[in-house]
Amino acid sequence: MKKCKITVLKRNFEKELAKEYGVEGLQPCPMLKEGQVFYADWECPKGLCNEAWKAVYQYVFALSHGVNDLFYYGDWIKEKGVAIVSCNDGLRPVIFKIETTDIESTSTNQ
C-alpha cells in the first residue's frame, strides 16, 4: 500500500448561502489553508478535519490500494491516479487534489 498526497487546492465561501443560513461572522474554513499538504493511506492524517476526511477517504483508500486508473469510466479527471474532491461543508467547501505517490505506508499517522 502507498500513501496518497492530499493537497488543499482552494477554500470556497458561499457568501449568499452563509448570509441566509450561517451564523453571524462565519468565514471560510479556519482549519485548512490553500497549498497545505497531507499524506495518508488508511487513517486520517494529523491536522486534517475529520469531516473532510470522511469526504475524501474513499478516494484515498482506492488510490493507496493501487487503483491507478481513471475514475468513473474516464469521464471525470483526465489524469490517472488523481481525484479532485471537496469536503461536505455546503457554506465553505474546501477542494482537494488527491494523488498517488511512491511512498510506502506505515502504521504511524503522519
Side-chain angles (χ1 to χ4, degrees):
M1 182 168 50
K2 306 286 186 182
K3 286 197 176 280
C4 288
K5 180 179 179 183
I6 304 169
T7 304
V8 178
L9 295 179
K10 188 173 184 180
R11 294 183 316 151
N12 292 315
F13 186 63
E14 298 296 327
K15 291 179 185 177
E16 290 179 20
L17 293 174
K19 183 178 179 181
E20 184 173 350
Y21 299 106
V23 298
E24 186 70 31
L26 187 66
Q27 296 293 314
C29 175
M31 295 186 67
L32 301 168
K33 304 294 181 226
E34 291 177 12
Q36 196 170 4
V37 174
F38 301 92
Y39 289 89
D41 42 29
W42 55 274
E43 58 187 341
C44 183
K46 291 179 183 174
L48 182 64
C49 167
N50 285 330
E51 290 301 313
W53 178 246
K54 289 179 200 175
V56 305
Y57 170 75
Q58 62 187 341
Y59 299 100
V60 172
F61 185 83
L63 291 170
S64 68
H65 282 82
V67 173
N68 195 17
D69 207 352
L70 297 173
F71 285 99
Y72 302 112
Y73 308 103
D75 66 352
W76 180 41
I77 304 295
K78 63 182 175 183
E79 187 177 343
K80 290 183 177 185
V82 172
I84 306 298
V85 298
S86 66
C87 74
N88 57 11
D89 187 330
L91 301 180
R92 50 189 185 180
V94 176
I95 310 297
F96 300 91
K97 177 182 181 183
I98 304 168
E99 56 193 314
T100 57
T101 71
D102 290 329
I103 303 169
E104 292 293 332
S105 293
T106 63
S107 62
T108 59
N109 216 354
Q110 296 183 19

mmCIF file of all heavy atoms in Angstrom, residues 33-84:
data_model
loop_
_atom_site.group_PDB
_atom_site.id
_atom_site.type_symbol
_atom_site.label_atom_id
_atom_site.label_comp_id
_atom_site.label_asym_id
_atom_site.label_seq_id
_atom_site.Cartn_x
_atom_site.Cartn_y
_atom_site.Cartn_z
ATOM 1 N N LYS A 33 -5.566 25.581 4.876
ATOM 2 C CA LYS A 33 -5.049 26.686 4.072
ATOM 3 C C LYS A 33 -4.699 26.175 2.677
ATOM 4 O O LYS A 33 -4.214 25.048 2.524
ATOM 5 C CB LYS A 33 -3.785 27.281 4.713
ATOM 6 C CG LYS A 33 -3.976 27.752 6.151
ATOM 7 C CD LYS A 33 -4.910 28.917 6.227
ATOM 8 C CE LYS A 33 -5.065 29.390 7.658
ATOM 9 N NZ LYS A 33 -6.416 29.642 8.059
ATOM 10 N N GLU A 34 -4.890 26.995 1.669
ATOM 11 C CA GLU A 34 -4.537 26.619 0.308
ATOM 12 C C GLU A 34 -3.047 26.309 0.235
ATOM 13 O O GLU A 34 -2.227 27.007 0.824
ATOM 14 C CB GLU A 34 -4.918 27.727 -0.664
ATOM 15 C CG GLU A 34 -6.423 27.861 -0.794
ATOM 16 C CD GLU A 34 -6.869 28.999 -1.689
ATOM 17 O OE1 GLU A 34 -6.047 29.588 -2.413
ATOM 18 O OE2 GLU A 34 -8.073 29.303 -1.655
ATOM 19 N N GLY A 35 -2.725 25.217 -0.445
ATOM 20 C CA GLY A 35 -1.341 24.785 -0.571
ATOM 21 C C GLY A 35 -0.905 23.808 0.511
ATOM 22 O O GLY A 35 0.158 23.192 0.396
ATOM 23 N N GLN A 36 -1.696 23.657 1.545
ATOM 24 C CA GLN A 36 -1.377 22.726 2.628
ATOM 25 C C GLN A 36 -1.374 21.296 2.089
ATOM 26 O O GLN A 36 -2.207 20.944 1.244
ATOM 27 C CB GLN A 36 -2.416 22.883 3.733
ATOM 28 C CG GLN A 36 -2.071 22.304 5.050
ATOM 29 C CD GLN A 36 -3.081 22.726 6.133
ATOM 30 O OE1 GLN A 36 -4.073 23.391 5.862
ATOM 31 N NE2 GLN A 36 -2.806 22.320 7.349
ATOM 32 N N VAL A 37 -0.430 20.471 2.545
ATOM 33 C CA VAL A 37 -0.278 19.108 2.043
ATOM 34 C C VAL A 37 -0.324 18.119 3.195
ATOM 35 O O VAL A 37 0.259 18.358 4.259
ATOM 36 C CB VAL A 37 1.051 18.958 1.268
ATOM 37 C CG1 VAL A 37 1.288 17.509 0.870
ATOM 38 C CG2 VAL A 37 1.065 19.855 0.043
ATOM 39 N N PHE A 38 -1.019 17.008 2.960
ATOM 40 C CA PHE A 38 -1.096 15.895 3.904
ATOM 41 C C PHE A 38 -0.759 14.620 3.142
ATOM 42 O O PHE A 38 -0.956 14.541 1.933
ATOM 43 C CB PHE A 38 -2.514 15.751 4.469
ATOM 44 C CG PHE A 38 -3.026 16.956 5.187
ATOM 45 C CD1 PHE A 38 -3.750 17.928 4.502
ATOM 46 C CD2 PHE A 38 -2.791 17.127 6.537
ATOM 47 C CE1 PHE A 38 -4.225 19.053 5.161
ATOM 48 C CE2 PHE A 38 -3.263 18.247 7.204
ATOM 49 C CZ PHE A 38 -3.983 19.202 6.516
ATOM 50 N N TYR A 39 -0.277 13.616 3.869
ATOM 51 C CA TYR A 39 -0.050 12.291 3.292
ATOM 52 C C TYR A 39 -0.867 11.295 4.093
ATOM 53 O O TYR A 39 -0.880 11.343 5.321
ATOM 54 C CB TYR A 39 1.437 11.927 3.320
ATOM 55 C CG TYR A 39 2.235 12.744 2.340
ATOM 56 C CD1 TYR A 39 2.775 13.966 2.700
ATOM 57 C CD2 TYR A 39 2.411 12.303 1.038
ATOM 58 C CE1 TYR A 39 3.484 14.729 1.790
ATOM 59 C CE2 TYR A 39 3.121 13.053 0.119
ATOM 60 C CZ TYR A 39 3.659 14.266 0.503
ATOM 61 O OH TYR A 39 4.359 15.022 -0.402
ATOM 62 N N ALA A 40 -1.574 10.415 3.386
ATOM 63 C CA ALA A 40 -2.463 9.484 4.072
ATOM 64 C C ALA A 40 -2.569 8.177 3.310
ATOM 65 O O ALA A 40 -2.262 8.097 2.126
ATOM 66 C CB ALA A 40 -3.853 10.099 4.221
ATOM 67 N N ASP A 41 -3.027 7.146 4.039
ATOM 68 C CA ASP A 41 -3.331 5.852 3.446
ATOM 69 C C ASP A 41 -4.681 5.404 3.993
ATOM 70 O O ASP A 41 -5.705 5.745 3.463
ATOM 71 C CB ASP A 41 -2.223 4.840 3.717
ATOM 72 C CG ASP A 41 -1.689 4.899 5.137
ATOM 73 O OD1 ASP A 41 -2.446 5.270 6.068
ATOM 74 O OD2 ASP A 41 -0.512 4.577 5.337
ATOM 75 N N TRP A 42 -4.707 4.721 5.110
ATOM 76 C CA TRP A 42 -5.963 4.232 5.670
ATOM 77 C C TRP A 42 -6.424 4.997 6.897
ATOM 78 O O TRP A 42 -7.499 4.758 7.412
ATOM 79 C CB TRP A 42 -5.850 2.755 6.009
ATOM 80 C CG TRP A 42 -4.693 2.460 6.920
ATOM 81 C CD1 TRP A 42 -3.395 2.220 6.542
ATOM 82 C CD2 TRP A 42 -4.707 2.412 8.334
ATOM 83 N NE1 TRP A 42 -2.599 2.030 7.640
ATOM 84 C CE2 TRP A 42 -3.390 2.134 8.771
ATOM 85 C CE3 TRP A 42 -5.696 2.576 9.293
ATOM 86 C CZ2 TRP A 42 -3.042 2.025 10.104
ATOM 87 C CZ3 TRP A 42 -5.347 2.461 10.630
ATOM 88 C CH2 TRP A 42 -4.033 2.178 11.005
ATOM 89 N N GLU A 43 -5.594 5.948 7.381
ATOM 90 C CA GLU A 43 -6.016 6.712 8.561
ATOM 91 C C GLU A 43 -5.896 8.203 8.300
ATOM 92 O O GLU A 43 -5.058 8.644 7.516
ATOM 93 C CB GLU A 43 -5.218 6.299 9.793
ATOM 94 C CG GLU A 43 -3.734 6.447 9.678
ATOM 95 C CD GLU A 43 -2.992 5.858 10.873
ATOM 96 O OE1 GLU A 43 -3.593 5.658 11.939
ATOM 97 O OE2 GLU A 43 -1.796 5.607 10.733
ATOM 98 N N CYS A 44 -6.744 8.951 8.957
ATOM 99 C CA CYS A 44 -6.780 10.398 8.786
ATOM 100 C C CYS A 44 -5.463 11.013 9.242
ATOM 101 O O CYS A 44 -5.015 10.763 10.364
ATOM 102 C CB CYS A 44 -7.936 10.979 9.593
ATOM 103 S SG CYS A 44 -8.136 12.761 9.407
ATOM 104 N N PRO A 45 -4.833 11.811 8.392
ATOM 105 C CA PRO A 45 -3.579 12.440 8.806
ATOM 106 C C PRO A 45 -3.819 13.534 9.847
ATOM 107 O O PRO A 45 -4.878 14.178 9.848
ATOM 108 C CB PRO A 45 -3.023 13.027 7.510
ATOM 109 C CG PRO A 45 -4.200 13.196 6.621
ATOM 110 C CD PRO A 45 -5.188 12.144 7.018
ATOM 111 N N LYS A 46 -2.848 13.725 10.715
ATOM 112 C CA LYS A 46 -2.952 14.766 11.739
ATOM 113 C C LYS A 46 -3.149 16.122 11.086
ATOM 114 O O LYS A 46 -2.491 16.458 10.105
ATOM 115 C CB LYS A 46 -1.699 14.791 12.608
ATOM 116 C CG LYS A 46 -1.559 13.581 13.490
ATOM 117 C CD LYS A 46 -0.296 13.637 14.324
ATOM 118 C CE LYS A 46 -0.163 12.365 15.143
ATOM 119 N NZ LYS A 46 1.110 12.310 15.857
ATOM 120 N N GLY A 47 -4.095 16.884 11.614
ATOM 121 C CA GLY A 47 -4.355 18.226 11.126
ATOM 122 C C GLY A 47 -5.427 18.336 10.069
ATOM 123 O O GLY A 47 -5.863 19.436 9.743
ATOM 124 N N LEU A 48 -5.862 17.210 9.522
ATOM 125 C CA LEU A 48 -6.935 17.244 8.535
ATOM 126 C C LEU A 48 -8.270 17.108 9.260
ATOM 127 O O LEU A 48 -8.450 16.226 10.105
ATOM 128 C CB LEU A 48 -6.777 16.111 7.506
ATOM 129 C CG LEU A 48 -7.815 16.089 6.391
ATOM 130 C CD1 LEU A 48 -7.712 17.337 5.521
ATOM 131 C CD2 LEU A 48 -7.650 14.848 5.537
ATOM 132 N N CYS A 49 -9.182 17.973 8.935
ATOM 133 C CA CYS A 49 -10.518 17.969 9.529
ATOM 134 C C CYS A 49 -11.172 16.596 9.346
ATOM 135 O O CYS A 49 -11.124 16.009 8.267
ATOM 136 C CB CYS A 49 -11.335 19.049 8.835
ATOM 137 S SG CYS A 49 -13.093 18.997 9.132
ATOM 138 N N ASN A 50 -11.799 16.082 10.387
ATOM 139 C CA ASN A 50 -12.461 14.777 10.316
ATOM 140 C C ASN A 50 -13.589 14.747 9.289
ATOM 141 O O ASN A 50 -13.817 13.734 8.639
ATOM 142 C CB ASN A 50 -12.996 14.364 11.686
ATOM 143 C CG ASN A 50 -11.900 13.913 12.616
ATOM 144 O OD1 ASN A 50 -10.880 13.392 12.176
ATOM 145 N ND2 ASN A 50 -12.095 14.121 13.900
ATOM 146 N N GLU A 51 -14.304 15.843 9.150
ATOM 147 C CA GLU A 51 -15.386 15.890 8.162
ATOM 148 C C GLU A 51 -14.816 15.862 6.744
ATOM 149 O O GLU A 51 -15.377 15.207 5.858
ATOM 150 C CB GLU A 51 -16.268 17.125 8.367
ATOM 151 C CG GLU A 51 -17.112 17.056 9.614
ATOM 152 C CD GLU A 51 -18.047 15.845 9.628
ATOM 153 O OE1 GLU A 51 -18.725 15.588 8.607
ATOM 154 O OE2 GLU A 51 -18.112 15.160 10.649
ATOM 155 N N ALA A 52 -13.707 16.540 6.520
ATOM 156 C CA ALA A 52 -13.056 16.488 5.205
ATOM 157 C C ALA A 52 -12.568 15.066 4.938
ATOM 158 O O ALA A 52 -12.703 14.552 3.829
ATOM 159 C CB ALA A 52 -11.898 17.480 5.139
ATOM 160 N N TRP A 53 -12.000 14.425 5.953
ATOM 161 C CA TRP A 53 -11.516 13.052 5.791
ATOM 162 C C TRP A 53 -12.649 12.121 5.361
ATOM 163 O O TRP A 53 -12.481 11.285 4.489
ATOM 164 C CB TRP A 53 -10.864 12.565 7.078
ATOM 165 C CG TRP A 53 -10.391 11.143 6.996
ATOM 166 C CD1 TRP A 53 -10.874 10.083 7.702
ATOM 167 C CD2 TRP A 53 -9.352 10.621 6.161
ATOM 168 N NE1 TRP A 53 -10.198 8.935 7.358
ATOM 169 C CE2 TRP A 53 -9.259 9.238 6.417
ATOM 170 C CE3 TRP A 53 -8.498 11.184 5.222
ATOM 171 C CZ2 TRP A 53 -8.347 8.416 5.765
ATOM 172 C CZ3 TRP A 53 -7.586 10.365 4.575
ATOM 173 C CH2 TRP A 53 -7.516 8.994 4.842
ATOM 174 N N LYS A 54 -13.814 12.277 5.973
ATOM 175 C CA LYS A 54 -14.960 11.439 5.600
ATOM 176 C C LYS A 54 -15.304 11.601 4.125
ATOM 177 O O LYS A 54 -15.727 10.653 3.478
ATOM 178 C CB LYS A 54 -16.182 11.796 6.442
ATOM 179 C CG LYS A 54 -16.092 11.369 7.885
ATOM 180 C CD LYS A 54 -17.352 11.811 8.601
ATOM 181 C CE LYS A 54 -17.187 11.873 10.086
ATOM 182 N NZ LYS A 54 -18.389 12.419 10.741
ATOM 183 N N ALA A 55 -15.127 12.797 3.594
ATOM 184 C CA ALA A 55 -15.473 13.063 2.200
ATOM 185 C C ALA A 55 -14.414 12.562 1.222
ATOM 186 O O ALA A 55 -14.740 12.176 0.105
ATOM 187 C CB ALA A 55 -15.686 14.561 2.003
ATOM 188 N N VAL A 56 -13.149 12.543 1.614
ATOM 189 C CA VAL A 56 -12.068 12.171 0.681
ATOM 190 C C VAL A 56 -11.576 10.751 0.876
ATOM 191 O O VAL A 56 -10.891 10.211 0.009
ATOM 192 C CB VAL A 56 -10.865 13.142 0.768
ATOM 193 C CG1 VAL A 56 -11.307 14.578 0.539
ATOM 194 C CG2 VAL A 56 -10.103 13.024 2.069
ATOM 195 N N TYR A 57 -11.928 10.127 1.988
ATOM 196 C CA TYR A 57 -11.387 8.819 2.353
ATOM 197 C C TYR A 57 -11.516 7.764 1.256
ATOM 198 O O TYR A 57 -10.596 7.017 0.985
ATOM 199 C CB TYR A 57 -12.037 8.320 3.642
ATOM 200 C CG TYR A 57 -11.701 6.885 3.953
ATOM 201 C CD1 TYR A 57 -10.440 6.559 4.442
ATOM 202 C CD2 TYR A 57 -12.604 5.863 3.732
ATOM 203 C CE1 TYR A 57 -10.104 5.247 4.717
ATOM 204 C CE2 TYR A 57 -12.283 4.552 3.995
ATOM 205 C CZ TYR A 57 -11.024 4.243 4.492
ATOM 206 O OH TYR A 57 -10.688 2.951 4.746
ATOM 207 N N GLN A 58 -12.685 7.696 0.624
ATOM 208 C CA GLN A 58 -12.906 6.644 -0.374
ATOM 209 C C GLN A 58 -11.914 6.741 -1.527
ATOM 210 O O GLN A 58 -11.467 5.728 -2.065
ATOM 211 C CB GLN A 58 -14.331 6.681 -0.890
ATOM 212 C CG GLN A 58 -14.697 7.975 -1.595
ATOM 213 C CD GLN A 58 -16.160 8.040 -1.939
ATOM 214 O OE1 GLN A 58 -16.860 7.045 -1.985
ATOM 215 N NE2 GLN A 58 -16.642 9.239 -2.181
ATOM 216 N N TYR A 59 -11.530 7.942 -1.893
ATOM 217 C CA TYR A 59 -10.559 8.130 -2.977
ATOM 218 C C TYR A 59 -9.143 7.814 -2.499
ATOM 219 O O TYR A 59 -8.363 7.191 -3.214
ATOM 220 C CB TYR A 59 -10.648 9.549 -3.535
ATOM 221 C CG TYR A 59 -12.002 9.823 -4.108
ATOM 222 C CD1 TYR A 59 -12.965 10.526 -3.390
ATOM 223 C CD2 TYR A 59 -12.351 9.337 -5.376
ATOM 224 C CE1 TYR A 59 -14.221 10.759 -3.917
ATOM 225 C CE2 TYR A 59 -13.615 9.567 -5.908
ATOM 226 C CZ TYR A 59 -14.539 10.272 -5.164
ATOM 227 O OH TYR A 59 -15.781 10.484 -5.690
ATOM 228 N N VAL A 60 -8.816 8.228 -1.288
ATOM 229 C CA VAL A 60 -7.508 7.909 -0.712
ATOM 230 C C VAL A 60 -7.368 6.398 -0.607
ATOM 231 O O VAL A 60 -6.339 5.829 -0.975
ATOM 232 C CB VAL A 60 -7.326 8.576 0.667
ATOM 233 C CG1 VAL A 60 -6.058 8.085 1.349
ATOM 234 C CG2 VAL A 60 -7.310 10.088 0.531
ATOM 235 N N PHE A 61 -8.382 5.733 -0.107
ATOM 236 C CA PHE A 61 -8.349 4.277 0.051
ATOM 237 C C PHE A 61 -8.117 3.591 -1.294
ATOM 238 O O PHE A 61 -7.264 2.725 -1.429
ATOM 239 C CB PHE A 61 -9.655 3.791 0.682
ATOM 240 C CG PHE A 61 -9.662 2.328 0.992
ATOM 241 C CD1 PHE A 61 -9.105 1.860 2.161
ATOM 242 C CD2 PHE A 61 -10.227 1.418 0.108
ATOM 243 C CE1 PHE A 61 -9.101 0.497 2.453
ATOM 244 C CE2 PHE A 61 -10.233 0.066 0.379
ATOM 245 C CZ PHE A 61 -9.660 -0.398 1.565
ATOM 246 N N ALA A 62 -8.869 3.991 -2.306
ATOM 247 C CA ALA A 62 -8.739 3.370 -3.629
ATOM 248 C C ALA A 62 -7.348 3.617 -4.213
ATOM 249 O O ALA A 62 -6.684 2.683 -4.676
ATOM 250 C CB ALA A 62 -9.812 3.908 -4.569
ATOM 251 N N LEU A 63 -6.888 4.850 -4.183
ATOM 252 C CA LEU A 63 -5.591 5.170 -4.771
ATOM 253 C C LEU A 63 -4.443 4.535 -4.002
ATOM 254 O O LEU A 63 -3.487 4.053 -4.599
ATOM 255 C CB LEU A 63 -5.411 6.682 -4.860
ATOM 256 C CG LEU A 63 -6.316 7.391 -5.870
ATOM 257 C CD1 LEU A 63 -6.240 8.896 -5.697
ATOM 258 C CD2 LEU A 63 -5.979 6.986 -7.293
ATOM 259 N N SER A 64 -4.537 4.494 -2.684
ATOM 260 C CA SER A 64 -3.451 3.909 -1.888
ATOM 261 C C SER A 64 -3.379 2.399 -2.052
ATOM 262 O O SER A 64 -2.339 1.792 -1.844
ATOM 263 C CB SER A 64 -3.587 4.278 -0.406
ATOM 264 O OG SER A 64 -4.708 3.666 0.175
ATOM 265 N N HIS A 65 -4.482 1.794 -2.467
ATOM 266 C CA HIS A 65 -4.514 0.351 -2.696
ATOM 267 C C HIS A 65 -4.280 -0.023 -4.155
ATOM 268 O O HIS A 65 -4.583 -1.136 -4.573
ATOM 269 C CB HIS A 65 -5.837 -0.240 -2.196
ATOM 270 C CG HIS A 65 -5.866 -0.412 -0.722
ATOM 271 N ND1 HIS A 65 -6.165 0.619 0.137
ATOM 272 C CD2 HIS A 65 -5.586 -1.479 0.058
ATOM 273 C CE1 HIS A 65 -6.096 0.178 1.380
ATOM 274 N NE2 HIS A 65 -5.750 -1.089 1.360
ATOM 275 N N GLY A 66 -3.773 0.906 -4.932
ATOM 276 C CA GLY A 66 -3.329 0.570 -6.273
ATOM 277 C C GLY A 66 -4.253 0.888 -7.416
ATOM 278 O O GLY A 66 -3.927 0.587 -8.564
ATOM 279 N N VAL A 67 -5.401 1.473 -7.152
ATOM 280 C CA VAL A 67 -6.250 1.890 -8.259
ATOM 281 C C VAL A 67 -5.554 3.081 -8.910
ATOM 282 O O VAL A 67 -5.524 4.161 -8.353
ATOM 283 C CB VAL A 67 -7.674 2.282 -7.783
ATOM 284 C CG1 VAL A 67 -8.471 2.869 -8.935
ATOM 285 C CG2 VAL A 67 -8.374 1.086 -7.193
ATOM 286 N N ASN A 68 -4.943 2.847 -10.028
ATOM 287 C CA ASN A 68 -4.191 3.901 -10.704
ATOM 288 C C ASN A 68 -4.759 4.082 -12.104
ATOM 289 O O ASN A 68 -4.057 4.079 -13.092
ATOM 290 C CB ASN A 68 -2.704 3.557 -10.759
ATOM 291 C CG ASN A 68 -1.867 4.772 -11.119
ATOM 292 O OD1 ASN A 68 -2.330 5.896 -11.018
ATOM 293 N ND2 ASN A 68 -0.657 4.524 -11.549
ATOM 294 N N ASP A 69 -6.048 4.213 -12.154
ATOM 295 C CA ASP A 69 -6.753 4.346 -13.408
ATOM 296 C C ASP A 69 -7.609 5.609 -13.344
ATOM 297 O O ASP A 69 -7.608 6.329 -12.350
ATOM 298 C CB ASP A 69 -7.629 3.107 -13.630
ATOM 299 C CG ASP A 69 -7.886 2.827 -15.088
ATOM 300 O OD1 ASP A 69 -7.525 3.664 -15.929
ATOM 301 O OD2 ASP A 69 -8.439 1.760 -15.390
ATOM 302 N N LEU A 70 -8.358 5.844 -14.381
ATOM 303 C CA LEU A 70 -9.285 6.966 -14.385
ATOM 304 C C LEU A 70 -10.551 6.566 -13.635
ATOM 305 O O LEU A 70 -11.061 5.465 -13.824
ATOM 306 C CB LEU A 70 -9.630 7.364 -15.815
ATOM 307 C CG LEU A 70 -8.459 7.871 -16.654
ATOM 308 C CD1 LEU A 70 -8.911 8.066 -18.099
ATOM 309 C CD2 LEU A 70 -7.889 9.157 -16.092
ATOM 310 N N PHE A 71 -11.050 7.453 -12.789
ATOM 311 C CA PHE A 71 -12.292 7.189 -12.073
ATOM 312 C C PHE A 71 -13.487 7.403 -13.007
ATOM 313 O O PHE A 71 -13.433 8.186 -13.946
ATOM 314 C CB PHE A 71 -12.428 8.124 -10.871
ATOM 315 C CG PHE A 71 -11.534 7.760 -9.718
ATOM 316 C CD1 PHE A 71 -10.335 8.419 -9.507
ATOM 317 C CD2 PHE A 71 -11.891 6.755 -8.836
ATOM 318 C CE1 PHE A 71 -9.523 8.097 -8.436
ATOM 319 C CE2 PHE A 71 -11.088 6.419 -7.761
ATOM 320 C CZ PHE A 71 -9.897 7.102 -7.565
ATOM 321 N N TYR A 72 -14.567 6.744 -12.711
ATOM 322 C CA TYR A 72 -15.853 6.941 -13.383
ATOM 323 C C TYR A 72 -15.758 6.834 -14.902
ATOM 324 O O TYR A 72 -16.169 7.731 -15.623
ATOM 325 C CB TYR A 72 -16.476 8.284 -12.977
ATOM 326 C CG TYR A 72 -16.691 8.400 -11.493
ATOM 327 C CD1 TYR A 72 -15.953 9.306 -10.737
ATOM 328 C CD2 TYR A 72 -17.609 7.583 -10.848
ATOM 329 C CE1 TYR A 72 -16.143 9.399 -9.363
ATOM 330 C CE2 TYR A 72 -17.798 7.672 -9.481
ATOM 331 C CZ TYR A 72 -17.064 8.586 -8.748
ATOM 332 O OH TYR A 72 -17.253 8.672 -7.404
ATOM 333 N N TYR A 73 -15.210 5.746 -15.371
ATOM 334 C CA TYR A 73 -15.186 5.441 -16.800
ATOM 335 C C TYR A 73 -14.413 6.470 -17.625
ATOM 336 O O TYR A 73 -14.645 6.624 -18.815
ATOM 337 C CB TYR A 73 -16.603 5.280 -17.365
ATOM 338 C CG TYR A 73 -17.423 4.314 -16.566
ATOM 339 C CD1 TYR A 73 -18.389 4.763 -15.675
ATOM 340 C CD2 TYR A 73 -17.200 2.937 -16.672
ATOM 341 C CE1 TYR A 73 -19.127 3.867 -14.917
ATOM 342 C CE2 TYR A 73 -17.932 2.041 -15.908
ATOM 343 C CZ TYR A 73 -18.892 2.515 -15.043
ATOM 344 O OH TYR A 73 -19.624 1.640 -14.289
ATOM 345 N N GLY A 74 -13.531 7.219 -16.977
ATOM 346 C CA GLY A 74 -12.700 8.175 -17.698
ATOM 347 C C GLY A 74 -13.394 9.453 -18.114
ATOM 348 O O GLY A 74 -12.862 10.205 -18.919
ATOM 349 N N ASP A 75 -14.570 9.735 -17.560
ATOM 350 C CA ASP A 75 -15.273 10.958 -17.958
ATOM 351 C C ASP A 75 -15.289 12.017 -16.858
ATOM 352 O O ASP A 75 -16.170 12.856 -16.779
ATOM 353 C CB ASP A 75 -16.701 10.635 -18.412
ATOM 354 C CG ASP A 75 -17.578 10.100 -17.289
ATOM 355 O OD1 ASP A 75 -17.063 9.823 -16.186
ATOM 356 O OD2 ASP A 75 -18.794 9.955 -17.515
ATOM 357 N N TRP A 76 -14.256 11.991 -16.021
ATOM 358 C CA TRP A 76 -14.211 12.926 -14.903
ATOM 359 C C TRP A 76 -12.867 13.638 -14.872
ATOM 360 O O TRP A 76 -12.766 14.779 -15.295
ATOM 361 C CB TRP A 76 -14.481 12.165 -13.599
ATOM 362 C CG TRP A 76 -14.462 12.975 -12.345
ATOM 363 C CD1 TRP A 76 -14.990 14.226 -12.161
ATOM 364 C CD2 TRP A 76 -13.884 12.616 -11.097
ATOM 365 N NE1 TRP A 76 -14.787 14.662 -10.873
ATOM 366 C CE2 TRP A 76 -14.108 13.672 -10.201
ATOM 367 C CE3 TRP A 76 -13.212 11.493 -10.646
ATOM 368 C CZ2 TRP A 76 -13.674 13.643 -8.880
ATOM 369 C CZ3 TRP A 76 -12.797 11.472 -9.332
ATOM 370 C CH2 TRP A 76 -13.029 12.522 -8.464
ATOM 371 N N ILE A 77 -11.824 12.989 -14.393
ATOM 372 C CA ILE A 77 -10.485 13.564 -14.305
ATOM 373 C C ILE A 77 -9.630 12.966 -15.417
ATOM 374 O O ILE A 77 -9.642 11.757 -15.616
ATOM 375 C CB ILE A 77 -9.842 13.259 -12.929
ATOM 376 C CG1 ILE A 77 -10.738 13.757 -11.793
ATOM 377 C CG2 ILE A 77 -8.446 13.850 -12.839
ATOM 378 C CD1 ILE A 77 -10.932 15.242 -11.727
ATOM 379 N N LYS A 78 -8.871 13.804 -16.114
ATOM 380 C CA LYS A 78 -8.110 13.302 -17.261
ATOM 381 C C LYS A 78 -6.804 12.626 -16.897
ATOM 382 O O LYS A 78 -6.217 11.930 -17.716
ATOM 383 C CB LYS A 78 -7.839 14.433 -18.257
ATOM 384 C CG LYS A 78 -6.984 15.562 -17.713
ATOM 385 C CD LYS A 78 -6.822 16.656 -18.750
ATOM 386 C CE LYS A 78 -6.082 17.835 -18.175
ATOM 387 N NZ LYS A 78 -5.984 18.924 -19.151
ATOM 388 N N GLU A 79 -6.334 12.788 -15.669
ATOM 389 C CA GLU A 79 -5.046 12.230 -15.253
ATOM 390 C C GLU A 79 -5.247 10.993 -14.386
ATOM 391 O O GLU A 79 -5.988 11.028 -13.399
ATOM 392 C CB GLU A 79 -4.273 13.290 -14.464
ATOM 393 C CG GLU A 79 -2.866 12.914 -14.125
ATOM 394 C CD GLU A 79 -2.130 14.035 -13.407
ATOM 395 O OE1 GLU A 79 -2.584 15.192 -13.454
ATOM 396 O OE2 GLU A 79 -1.107 13.738 -12.782
ATOM 397 N N LYS A 80 -4.593 9.912 -14.727
ATOM 398 C CA LYS A 80 -4.690 8.679 -13.944
ATOM 399 C C LYS A 80 -4.067 8.884 -12.566
ATOM 400 O O LYS A 80 -3.098 9.621 -12.419
ATOM 401 C CB LYS A 80 -3.978 7.536 -14.653
ATOM 402 C CG LYS A 80 -4.684 7.066 -15.894
ATOM 403 C CD LYS A 80 -3.976 5.884 -16.497
ATOM 404 C CE LYS A 80 -4.748 5.383 -17.706
ATOM 405 N NZ LYS A 80 -4.157 4.168 -18.257
ATOM 406 N N GLY A 81 -4.650 8.227 -11.572
ATOM 407 C CA GLY A 81 -4.125 8.293 -10.219
ATOM 408 C C GLY A 81 -4.395 9.597 -9.510
ATOM 409 O O GLY A 81 -3.751 9.922 -8.514
ATOM 410 N N VAL A 82 -5.380 10.366 -9.979
ATOM 411 C CA VAL A 82 -5.716 11.667 -9.394
ATOM 412 C C VAL A 82 -7.225 11.772 -9.190
ATOM 413 O O VAL A 82 -8.001 11.318 -10.032
ATOM 414 C CB VAL A 82 -5.240 12.830 -10.299
ATOM 415 C CG1 VAL A 82 -5.752 14.172 -9.810
ATOM 416 C CG2 VAL A 82 -3.723 12.853 -10.386
ATOM 417 N N ALA A 83 -7.624 12.394 -8.086
ATOM 418 C CA ALA A 83 -9.027 12.724 -7.838
ATOM 419 C C ALA A 83 -9.092 14.150 -7.308
ATOM 420 O O ALA A 83 -8.236 14.558 -6.517
ATOM 421 C CB ALA A 83 -9.640 11.761 -6.823
ATOM 422 N N ILE A 84 -10.061 14.913 -7.748
ATOM 423 C CA ILE A 84 -10.317 16.260 -7.235
ATOM 424 C C ILE A 84 -11.661 16.180 -6.518
ATOM 425 O O ILE A 84 -12.680 15.885 -7.141
ATOM 426 C CB ILE A 84 -10.376 17.305 -8.363
ATOM 427 C CG1 ILE A 84 -9.121 17.269 -9.226
ATOM 428 C CG2 ILE A 84 -10.626 18.705 -7.784
ATOM 429 C CD1 ILE A 84 -7.827 17.603 -8.501
#
